[in-house]
Amino acid sequence: MTHEFDLLVIGAGSGGVRCARIAAGHGARVAVVESRHWGGTCVNLGCVPKKLMVQASEYGDMVEDSHAFGWSSTRGTHDWSTLIAAKDKEITRLNGIYVSMLEKAGITLLTGHARFVDAHTVRIEASPLAPDEAPRTVTAKTIVIATGSTSVRPDIPGAEFAITSDEAFHLPARPQRVVIVGSGYIGLEFAGIFAGLGSQVDLVYRQPLPLRGFDEDMRAAMAEAITVRGITQHPHTSPTRVSKEGETYTVTLDNGRTLEADCVFFATGRKPKIERLGLEHTGVTVGKHGQITVDSGSQTTEPGIYAIGDVTDRLNLTPVAIAEGHTLADRLFGTAPAREWAFDTTPKAVFFSPPLASVGLTEEEATHHGAVDIYLTRFTPMRHTLSGRKDRKTVMKLVVQQDSQKVVGAHILGDDAPEMLQGVAVAVTAGLTKQDFDRTIGIHPTSAEELVTLRTRTRETPAAAPEAP
């Protein structure tokens, strides 16, 4: 059977666009269909606008810090509408770049909501991106699902009164009092944004410490940093109800306390975006959490249909989706061996103020492979010895496999942590040893030099007991 396209990508986010561009570069006839935003969540409602807002939230502190360095600057008031307008202008520019890249690659752009008719046929209908677009049906030999994920809300009374990250990027005004529920990436980053811009922030989360899944020392350090930022934490706590009276929202917690706010923000996770895809018309299998089931090569249970990125709920990070898309396109349409990526040492960052960055194994994870040596340091960075913010600490940790002396984990909380960690990720990916770090000369004076001057082992952690069969 002859198909209209060799490849149809559903979703024009970072992963889908990379997959389409690489496939087109190999000579494939490619189309991309997008229902809402060119560039996907990361560009429009995620990484990019969020980091711009984090940066905006830090300028007030910079003005205050400048006084210790001799500047007579005065902290003014923040104009939320100016920030949102500037952010929107930049996002519009990036939208245009994504469209331009696809068009220059010779890719057919289709706007609308895609729904499977069968394993090789997709019906495209009107969507927010193209509300007046006439429906059409297209066929493709290979289809890649790259539709990403969407925010979820807890199933409690009054959940409809809360916003999620999608709405946070377009609030007409900055709320003075915010209750944020959830202490993952999104919850912490927006807590820092609102607090830095002058809002009173309450952070509610179920765990004893924020950032479940991160190294325990770093979770504890982040909890301290959250308090230093002026945010009130409510650990071991969950909301049971949200109510509204006039313009005031009241969040009732499971410990009986209530919190009043001008805005309630749920950062309680995301789920794969598969609604209305019509997967029931294919042999694609979906897991219990709504994720599309794939093998190591991103192949679904339906031959000819693949899935990449957050919709598979594996490593839900933009660079991972890009790598998956690139690899898949090479394997499907390229002639040379597909490029290899080190997914097991994928670095990650939380853009709080100060930020946290991590690569490799946590201390607990590493003990499942044997005993480990831990190198940990905590200090006041040079800038804050003058600024007076001596409670704004930098914390660095190296996790070293005791038998091989390989550095299998590196974790940093502090100013510029993500910028430092990217280079360290190369070292961890390459399997370098603690001795390789020790023989590297540092750049002085920097915080980063601490990573190569950690000479004294903080502690030795024995191997974890084997799990019962």
Side-chain angles (χ1 to χ4, degrees), residues 255-273:
N255 62 6
R257 290 193 61 186
T258 58
L259 302 172
E260 290 191 347
D262 306 306
C263 174
V264 181
F265 186 136
F266 284 150
T268 47
R270 298 178 68 84
K271 65 178 180 179
K273 192 175 181 180

Side-chain angles (χ1 to χ4, degrees), residues 52 162 197 260 273 388 396 422:
L52 291 173
L197 294 176
E260 290 191 347
K273 192 175 181 180
M396 295 181 172
Q422 182 66 80

Side-chain angles (χ1 to χ4, degrees), residues 84-97:
I84 298 303
K87 180 266 298 180
D88 289 345
K89 181 179 179 181
E90 174 61 9
I91 300 312
T92 299
R93 185 184 73 86
L94 293 175
N95 290 156
I97 288 175

Side-chain angles (χ1 to χ4, degrees), residues 344-396:
D344 57 338
T345 54
T346 298
K348 53 191 177 183
V350 181
F351 291 98
F352 188 71
S353 298
L356 186 155
S358 175
V359 65
L361 303 179
T362 67
E363 180 176 348
E364 181 183 3
E365 290 169 342
T367 61
H368 292 286
H369 303 278
V372 295
D373 294 332
I374 299 300
Y375 295 83
L376 184 65
T377 184
R378 175 187 176 92
F379 58 93
T380 301
M382 178 181 286
R383 177 185 299 276
H384 297 307
T385 62
L386 289 193
S387 74
R389 296 183 189 275
K390 295 188 178 180
D391 53 359
R392 181 156 171 165
K393 301 295 184 181
T394 290
V395 181
M396 295 181 172

Side-chain angles (χ1 to χ4, degrees), residues 73-320:
S73 53
T74 301
R75 180 168 182 162
T77 57
H78 182 262
D79 188 327
W80 175 267
S81 61
T82 297
L83 168 62
I84 298 303
K87 180 266 298 180
D88 289 345
K89 181 179 179 181
E90 174 61 9
I91 300 312
T92 299
R93 185 184 73 86
L94 293 175
N95 290 156
I97 288 175
Y98 270 79
V99 170
S100 177
M101 286 192 304
L102 291 167
E103 290 176 338
K104 288 179 180 178
I107 296 166
T108 300
L109 275 59
L110 305 171
T111 52
H113 184 84
R115 181 177 178 84
F116 282 95
V117 176
D118 59 42
H120 295 283
T121 308
V122 169
R123 177 77 169 171
I124 302 172
E125 300 178 336
S127 74
L129 184 59
D132 300 321
E133 192 82 8
R136 64 176 292 183
T137 300
V138 299
T139 64
K141 181 179 179 181
T142 301
I143 298 176
V144 172
I145 303 170
T147 47
S149 62
T150 187
S151 300
V152 297
R153 301 167 184 264
D155 185 17
I156 61 172
E160 69 276 10
F161 293 130
I163 66 168
T164 67
S165 57
D166 284 9
E167 296 80 38
F169 289 110
H170 299 289
L171 288 172
R174 176 180 59 80
Q176 187 59 38
R177 300 171 298 170
V178 187
V179 172
I180 297 180
V181 181
S183 65
Y185 291 84
I186 295 172
L188 259 60
E189 289 169 342
F190 272 98
I193 289 168
F194 285 120
L197 294 176
S199 299
Q200 170 191 312
V201 180
D202 285 275
L203 184 66
V204 177
Y205 55 93
R206 293 180 299 177
Q207 297 289 319
L209 292 168
L211 292 176
R212 180 169 60 90
F214 280 75
D215 185 89
E216 287 298 304
D217 281 324
M218 308 312 288
R219 295 179 72 190
M222 178 58 82
E224 291 181 19
I226 292 169
T227 298
V228 169
R229 193 69 170 144
I231 297 165
T232 301
Q233 298 180 76
H234 304 270
H236 299 289
T237 309
S238 295
T240 59
R241 173 185 297 274
V242 180
S243 56
K244 181 182 181 184
E245 184 173 346
E247 296 301 315
T248 299
Y249 300 92
T250 300
V251 180
T252 303
L253 306 179
D254 57 6
N255 62 6
R257 290 193 61 186
T258 58
L259 302 172
E260 290 191 347
D262 306 306
C263 174
V264 181
F265 186 136
F266 284 150
T268 47
R270 298 178 68 84
K271 65 178 180 179
K273 192 175 181 180
I274 61 171
E275 290 83 0
R276 297 177 57 206
L277 272 178
L279 296 179
E280 65 273 14
H281 300 300
T282 72
V284 173
T285 299
V286 176
K288 64 179 181 179
H289 299 298
Q291 77 275 23
I292 293 179
T293 303
V294 293
D295 63 16
S296 60
S298 297
Q299 169 72 63
T300 71
T301 49
E302 173 70 67
I305 298 180
Y306 298 80
I308 60 174
D310 288 12
V311 77
T312 67
D313 197 23
R314 294 181 287 182
L315 277 172
N316 297 339
L317 297 168
T318 295
V320 172

Side-chain angles (χ1 to χ4, degrees), residues 12-44:
S14 300
V17 167
R18 174 62 67 89
C19 185
R21 290 177 59 215
I22 298 302
H26 290 311
R29 296 170 300 152
V30 181
V32 174
V33 56
E34 172 57 40
S35 64
R36 188 179 182 188
H37 298 295
W38 296 107
T41 297
C42 179
V43 167
N44 295 276

